[in-house]
Amino acid sequence: VQLQASGGGLVQAGGSLRLSCAASGQSFRSYFMGWFRQAPGKEREFVACISGSGRSTLKYADSVKGRFTISRDNAKNTVSLEMNNLKPEDTAVYYCAGDRTLIVSQATTPDAYDYWGQGTQVTVSS
């Protein structure tokens, strides 16, 4: 599968953005999907993940819980990240990732994902 992330931009603190990740290829619903982010000088960190059906195994990093929502539309081969009440510390390059054979207990680990999008920049000004 090939992944293409979009939707990043510059927003003021308290604002909102919606990131999208479009997947090409077949059997998208068999892919566990995740969002990660990487700020300058920092390691890539987990943001959120969702199971193939979209009905189970939704996880969020504590730092975004209650502000971000992950969802997917398997008919359109897309996974989205709705980000509300953005904070300057949310500034990072955001990546979508997917894997078919991921072990759920490792879903928050970047190394568990084989497929990655190119990243989209999110900048939150104070």
Side-chain angles (χ1 to χ4, degrees):
V1 68
Q2 292 185 324
L3 304 175
Q4 179 80 26
S6 62
L10 174 64
V11 64
Q12 289 187 333
S16 299
L17 280 174
R18 184 179 178 88
L19 305 184
S20 292
C21 178
S24 62
Q26 297 179 343
S27 304
F28 175 67
R29 65 174 57 249
S30 68
Y31 284 81
F32 199 99
M33 299 298 297
W35 284 97
F36 291 78
R37 66 186 182 186
Q38 188 166 17
K42 295 187 176 181
E43 293 186 351
R44 192 166 298 189
E45 66 173 5
F46 168 76
V47 176
C49 63
I50 188 169
S51 65
S53 68
R55 294 190 295 270
S56 64
T57 318
L58 274 73
K59 297 184 180 181
Y60 296 92
D62 288 343
S63 59
V64 307
K65 204 171 292 183
R67 300 188 297 121
F68 291 12
T69 302
I70 189 172
S71 62
R72 66 188 296 160
D73 185 338
N74 286 337
K76 296 182 179 179
N77 282 15
T78 58
V79 60
S80 298
L81 186 69
E82 182 74 30
M83 306 186 294
N84 298 314
N85 190 22
L86 283 160
K87 303 176 181 181
E89 52 264 41
D90 294 318
T91 295
V93 177
Y94 283 71
Y95 299 88
C96 59
D99 198 270
R100 295 182 68 173
T101 60
L102 176 144
I103 300 173
V104 173
S105 61
Q106 298 176 353
T108 62
T109 304
D111 288 347
Y113 295 80
D114 283 341
Y115 301 96
W116 290 85
Q118 85 289 1
T120 185
Q121 176 71 46
V122 171
T123 303
V124 184
S125 63
S126 58

